[in-house]
Amino acid sequence: MTEAIEAEGLIKRFGKVSALDGLDLSVETGEVHGFLGPNGAGKTTTIRILLGLMRHDGGKVSLLGGDPWSSATALHRRLAYVPGDVTLWPNLTGGEVIDLLGRLRGGLDPSRKDELLERFQLDPRKKGRTYSKGNRQKVALVAALASDVELLVLDEPTSGLDPLMEEVFREVILQEKRRGDRTVLLSSHILAEVEALCDRLTIIREGRTVETGTLDQMRHLTRTSIQAELTGPPDGLATMAGVHDLRTDNGKVRFDVDTDALEPALQTLVKVGVRSLVSQPPSLEELFLRQYQKDELPKAELPKAELPKDVR
Amino acid sequence: MTGVGKLIRLILRRDRVIMPIWVLVFGLLPAGYYSSFQGLFPTDAERIQYATVSADNAGFVALYGLLKGDSFAVLTNWRAGFVPVMIGLVALLTVIRHTRVDEEAGRTELIGSTVTGRHAPLAAALITTVGACTVLGLLTFAVMAGQSGSTSGSLAFGAELAASGWIFAAVAAITAQLTSSARAARSIAIVALGVSYALRVGGDISALGTGGLSWLSWVSPLGWVTRIFPYGPLNWWPVVLSVLLSVVAVGVAVYLRGLRDLGDGLFAARLGRASAAASLSTPLALAWRLHRGLLVGWTVGLGLLGLIFGGVGGSVLDIAQDNKGLTDIFARLGGSSQLVNSYFAGTAGIVGLIAACYAVQATLRLRDEETTGHAEAVLATSVSRFAWAGSHLLFSLLGPALALFAEGLVSGLVSTSGNFGDILGGVLLQLPAVWVLASVAVLLFGVLPRWSLVAWAAPAACLLILLVGETLQLSQWLLDLSPFTHIPHLPGGDFSATPVITLIAVAVVVGAVGLVGLRRRNIPD
Ligand SMILES: Nc1ncnc2c1ncn2[C@@H]1O[C@H](COP(=O)(O)OP(=O)(O)OP(=O)(O)O)[C@@H](O)[C@H]1O
Ligand SMILES: [Mg+2]
């Protein structure tokens, strides 16, 4: 598969602030790629570099096979962008903005536009200054989605949408996905959205890529929580690779275990003898929270472990 | 009204640099005039002659108002006749900045969610601005009372300056309620200031001649304050009128604020077209949509100014015919030998400076577009940075040309004296200097975008040089800093192509550096 976006070791500094610090991002043609990270992680900055609005200070980047800085105008014919913070010209109507942006990009499909206006329930006759935040977002979305382009770059496109419109957005993106030739880079804070739409995702933190891969691969990285009552002492469990945060209390054990180490851990338990067992499946939220945490402390020292005092 | 105290402290904190500057500069400027006059006219005879000549000079009267008397104090007060306009401008900008600008940016909403009354932001903005203008007036009172020895006169002088600020603060309080956009509110208030200046000029010029239209000055608040004559035939009525007008205007503003919701204007926005016209498909078409209001406003405004300046040209000739000695005196004062020519050359310089303000404003639209995020949306399409900037710059370069042309055309047509072609030519000749100031704005925008607003310092400095340059006997290199100093004084003076070509070359180079900077920098920065 060819790569629609390829960034390697991307570095961007604003004065002394280092916004990107060796970021890697690779988006394959035809996929919907989630782009996640805590506030200030560098998502918008990365996107602006990809659009040739900002110049990177180091590393390599290519977009649709070209250099986003030097061939910006040619590349921009092939993509559409929805900024994170949509502002409209106060004296242009939403419909005018949609048409204008579409034409500046090289044309848009009028029937597709009407269909999208209908689906997003947007009145295009209002002046820019009278739209609510969500409706401004819809204007930018319709303008981007109505263009027949290879790549959609969406920076938190649903941040102002109500749940109903968020659902419409998902349907539209899934439709695009079925066409197979459109690539979408979707920066988002909404996990359910990412889970529903994205083939692969990249998580960044403080300007660096911390995780990238498919959702299934990521699930692999999560840990299952186990609680068990045992008939004997859990010998060997504490030293086992992949077992974290082990606590024992009157024959009861609690621990988290990496997905890879689940099988040997369970076998150890069975050898000792199990009276009862509760297992909690890995959740994406947990993964994200873990990746988002600023410090790289092991999970055992996170607040969660401090709660059940009575267990000890 | 709860929370006013907190808001006042917030405003004082945000304006802690700029507010003391304008209060000090405008409050102390009269004292500066006073001492420079003392240096300029060591003998009574010279001073009285200057006063006699100036009192009949239509150009001077247009700029500063009527001159009644010949003492140093009278001359100082008269020479400060443009200061009320400046104070009015600063006052209205300050009020809009702390009312509608905040409201449009959503900051008022943020504050409103804490404990503040509905009228608190307006009250806080008015109290600080009116307070600052009052301090300014007291400052003038204090220093002028010391210099002139006249307490009541200096008090009236202080009141004159303070009142011009009060009135336009109150006017701005009204315009801030009318529209939901700060820019529109600011424009309406500035138009009010401009109309009031134009009316004063018309009335005063008419008073010089037959006096048929001298009532015009009495419809203009700026006319009132320049009719206090603190050190001449002192008249306190204009002060009373100004206070009354300010109070009524504030009342109206408070009433209007009560009629509307936060964020709204009184003029509701209507529905527009559902899709764009076929022509709205290029960056240039977009620039036209964004600039056409400015273009029409400035062209009509300068055209009206041409009506006044041109109309006055006739009375200049009358005065010259009445007074045989005048022509000689003007030749000695450094003007051209012909009175009418010198008048039109002088007004051309003023008009050029006004057009430069338009050029800077239009150029800075680029920065507005950047900070609002509109530029990002456009530049993410297949529009290049040059095409985007170029389509805006077309308006900031040719817009002022059109506005200057309107002024020259109208004043040349209505003037009964002076040669049409020369008058129009003298005005159009200001264009290279206008472009230099526009190019400074391009340079800042391209290279130091966060300092773009500093571009306003250029026309401000040129105005200062024009206003105080000769009076304060600044050294030549300082005068030379203003591109307008280098423009040949036409009609009357000698035309020389060198300064014109040089100025155009400077504008091209400075602007090109700015554009190269724009090509290389982050957007938004
Ligand atoms: N123009 C700029 N000048 C200086 N610093 C900047 C600029 N733009 C971004 N930064 C800094 O770069 C870092 C990355 O910001 P960025 O906007 O890319 O984050 P983000 O991941 O998009 O965050 P969010 O989820 O809040 O949108 C932040 O620390 C931000 O303060
Ligand atoms: Mg962002």
Side-chain angles (χ1 to χ4, degrees):
Chain A
M1 264 230 191
T2 50
E3 239 103 75
I5 296 173
E6 178 79 273
E8 242 184 80
L10 215 50
I11 290 176
K12 176 72 193 173
R13 280 182 290 267
F14 294 108
K16 281 182 189 145
V17 183
S18 179
L20 299 184
D21 188 14
L23 181 129
D24 300 318
L25 174 67
S26 148
V27 177
E28 284 165 15
T29 303
E31 75 172 350
V32 177
H33 195 101
F35 194 35
L36 292 95
N39 293 130
K43 302 180 293 295
T44 302
T45 305
T46 307
I47 288 175
R48 284 179 174 152
I49 290 174
L50 291 173
L51 292 170
L53 293 168
M54 291 185 171
R55 204 203 307 240
H56 58 286
D57 298 314
K60 277 190 293 190
V61 57
S62 91
L63 177 91
L64 299 173
D67 177 350
W69 178 262
S70 56
S71 26
T73 46
L75 292 175
H76 290 175
R77 284 184 189 285
R78 300 160 60 193
L79 64 84
Y81 168 49
V82 175
D85 196 2
V86 178
T87 56
L88 305 174
W89 292 276
N91 52 346
L92 264 66
T93 64
E96 285 180 313
V97 172
I98 292 171
D99 286 345
L100 174 71
L101 289 179
R103 289 169 189 171
L104 291 180
R105 200 177 284 136
L108 85 181
D109 178 353
S111 61
R112 173 89 173 129
K113 180 187 89 172
D114 292 340
E115 183 207 325
L116 287 164
L117 285 175
E118 174 78 33
R119 288 178 75 172
F120 279 110
Q121 296 169 20
L122 180 70
D123 183 351
R125 293 169 306 162
K126 284 191 174 180
K127 298 270 186 188
R129 73 165 70 90
T130 61
Y131 281 113
S132 67
K133 175 169 167 43
N135 283 333
R136 285 202 302 269
Q137 203 86 36
K138 289 186 203 168
V139 170
L141 273 172
V142 172
L145 293 167
S147 306
D148 189 15
V149 289
E150 298 164 41
L151 173 66
L152 288 169
V153 180
L154 312 176
D155 192 357
E156 297 183 35
T158 54
S159 57
L161 298 190
D162 63 42
L164 216 63
M165 288 302 129
E166 154 95 50
E167 191 51 43
V168 173
F169 170 76
R170 284 186 205 178
E171 282 166 19
V172 173
I173 295 293
L174 285 174
Q175 237 175 27
E176 298 294 320
K177 202 167 148 176
R178 265 175 246 129
R179 280 184 28 171
D181 56 349
R182 266 194 175 184
T183 312
V184 181
L185 178 65
L186 172 69
S187 129
S188 177
H189 286 300
I190 303 169
L191 302 178
E193 179 178 285
V194 172
E195 207 169 355
L197 297 177
C198 298
D199 303 298
R200 292 200 314 141
L201 49 103
T202 296
I203 302 178
I204 66 167
R205 192 179 64 211
E206 290 173 353
R208 238 177 290 196
T209 306
V210 290
E211 212 66 73
T212 186
T214 64
L215 274 171
D216 284 344
Q217 285 168 340
M218 297 235 169
R219 280 209 180 83
H220 244 264
L221 295 169
T222 56
R223 295 169 186 172
T224 308
S225 299
I226 308 275
Q227 283 185 50
E229 256 181 283
L230 301 179
T231 49
D235 294 326
L237 206 56
T239 52
M240 226 171 123
V243 171
H244 307 272
D245 199 10
L246 176 73
R247 275 161 288 157
T248 49
D249 181 29
N250 288 340
K252 286 184 199 159
V253 292
R254 285 167 57 97
F255 61 92
D256 294 334
V257 56
D258 289 344
T259 311
D260 299 339
L262 189 57
E263 207 182 312
L266 288 181
Q267 277 167 358
T268 311
L269 292 185
V270 170
K271 251 184 256 161
V272 176
V274 181
R275 203 170 283 149
S276 77
L277 184 119
V278 180
S279 99
Q280 248 163 14
S283 85
L284 265 186
E285 269 80 359
E286 202 183 311
L287 167 74
F288 288 123
L289 286 179
R290 190 141 53 89
Q291 301 293 7
Y292 275 27
Q293 293 294 343
K294 235 178 140 41
D295 41 311
E296 291 177 6
L297 296 175
K299 202 178 165 198
E301 293 173 38
L302 294 180
K304 187 186 158 205
E306 291 162 15
L307 284 176
K309 275 208 177 93
D310 51 326
V311 181
R312 274 176 219 165
Chain B
M1 291 292 280
T2 45
V4 176
K6 265 192 200 137
L7 289 179
I8 289 177
R9 253 171 284 143
L10 184 67
I11 292 176
L12 290 178
R13 214 192 105 70
R14 286 176 66 197
D15 283 1
R16 66 185 179 281
V17 177
I18 188 78
M19 196 177 264
I21 290 182
W22 61 261
V23 167
L24 283 176
V25 166
F26 294 131
L28 297 178
L29 197 58
Y33 285 140
Y34 196 95
S35 29
S36 70
F37 274 130
Q38 282 178 322
L40 268 178
F41 307 117
T43 67
D44 284 354
E46 279 170 297
R47 190 188 72 238
I48 291 167
Q49 190 191 31
Y50 173 80
T52 326
V53 172
S54 302
D56 283 341
N57 178 297
F60 280 180
V61 169
L63 252 184
Y64 309 127
L66 295 172
L67 173 57
K68 303 232 176 201
D70 53 24
S71 68
F72 279 127
V74 169
L75 283 174
T76 299
N77 171 255
W78 167 76
R79 193 63 170 73
F82 198 74
V83 177
V85 184
M86 308 285 286
I87 295 175
L89 181 67
V90 178
L92 72 86
L93 291 178
T94 309
V95 168
I96 303 243
R97 169 173 148 85
H98 294 293
T99 52
R100 184 53 82 173
V101 172
D102 280 356
E103 203 169 314
E104 194 182 32
R107 283 190 289 267
T108 313
E109 206 168 359
L110 207 66
I111 290 166
S113 61
T114 66
V115 206
T116 48
R118 181 218 286 260
H119 292 291
L122 181 61
L126 279 172
I127 290 171
T128 39
T129 311
V130 166
C133 294
T134 310
V135 171
L136 189 163
L138 289 174
L139 206 61
T140 302
F141 162 63
V143 292
M144 283 305 292
Q147 270 176 315
S148 71
S150 161
T151 312
S152 60
S154 301
L155 192 62
F157 193 176
E160 170 187 341
L161 297 189
S164 27
W166 300 339
I167 294 169
F168 286 96
V171 166
I174 295 182
T175 67
Q177 314 307 319
L178 298 182
T179 68
S180 58
S181 117
R183 190 190 285 159
R186 204 180 290 130
S187 307
I188 298 173
I190 290 178
V191 164
L193 181 73
V195 167
S196 144
Y197 177 64
L199 287 171
R200 185 200 60 70
V201 171
D204 286 356
I205 296 292
S206 168
L208 265 193
T210 53
L213 289 177
S214 62
W215 57 268
L216 283 179
S217 298
W218 286 104
V219 246
S220 152
L222 286 173
W224 302 348
V225 296
T226 48
R227 270 172 168 63
I228 297 174
F229 300 120
Y231 303 103
L234 175 58
N235 179 5
W236 281 100
W237 274 112
V239 180
V240 177
L241 272 179
S242 305
V243 172
L244 281 180
L245 177 70
S246 308
V247 169
V248 169
V250 168
V252 171
V254 169
Y255 173 71
L256 294 178
R257 176 65 189 88
L259 291 185
R260 67 179 184 87
D261 291 332
L262 189 68
D264 281 354
L266 275 182
F267 303 145
R270 281 180 320 234
L271 290 181
R273 359 179 2 130
S275 57
S279 58
L280 186 60
S281 55
T282 60
L284 191 62
L286 174 63
W288 162 245
R289 279 296 291 273
L290 301 178
H291 280 271
R292 65 182 180 193
L294 268 191
L295 180 68
V296 171
W298 281 96
T299 306
V300 170
L302 279 189
L304 288 176
L305 198 61
L307 204 60
I308 292 169
F309 281 162
V312 167
S315 48
V316 176
L317 197 66
D318 296 342
I319 299 158
Q321 278 163 350
D322 291 350
N323 191 335
K324 296 273 182 287
L326 268 183
T327 326
D328 297 345
I329 292 162
F330 261 87
R332 244 183 291 135
L333 279 176
S336 125
S337 61
Q338 292 204 320
L339 200 51
V340 173
N341 283 346
S342 110
Y343 166 77
F344 279 110
T347 54
I350 298 170
V351 174
L353 199 50
I354 296 174
C357 291
Y358 170 24
V360 170
Q361 186 188 14
T363 306
L364 290 184
R365 275 285 161 95
L366 282 167
R367 179 65 182 164
D368 286 349
E369 287 289 285
E370 181 182 0
T371 49
T372 50
H374 303 155
E376 192 176 347
V378 171
L379 293 174
T381 68
S382 62
V383 173
S384 74
R385 293 185 181 197
F386 286 142
W388 170 69
S391 26
H392 281 267
L393 289 182
L394 203 66
F395 288 91
S396 58
L397 298 181
L398 297 187
L402 188 69
L404 282 175
F405 182 77
E407 201 279 342
L409 184 77
V410 174
S411 71
L413 284 177
V414 299
S415 164
T416 50
S417 55
N419 177 295
F420 171 74
D422 289 348
I423 295 174
L424 180 57
V427 172
L428 285 181
L429 214 50
Q430 307 295 320
L431 211 45
V434 170
W435 286 341
V436 169
L437 295 198
S439 74
V440 171
V442 176
L443 178 71
L444 282 165
F445 170 68
V447 179
L448 293 171
R450 289 169 201 206
W451 294 86
S452 294
L453 280 180
V454 173
W456 282 111
C462 292
L463 176 68
L464 213 62
I465 288 174
L466 182 81
L467 284 181
V468 304
E470 280 149 47
T471 323
L472 294 186
Q473 291 179 300
L474 297 179
S475 51
Q476 188 61 36
W477 70 265
L478 246 164
L479 297 180
D480 281 346
L481 282 181
S482 165
F484 292 95
T485 309
H486 305 278
I487 295 285
H489 289 269
L490 284 184
D494 292 324
F495 175 78
S496 149
T498 320
V500 173
I501 293 171
T502 315
L503 286 176
I504 292 180
V506 168
V508 168
V509 171
V510 173
V513 173
L515 286 179
V516 170
L518 174 68
R519 177 67 190 90
R520 303 165 60 89
R521 74 175 175 84
N522 294 332
I523 292 180
D525 190 337

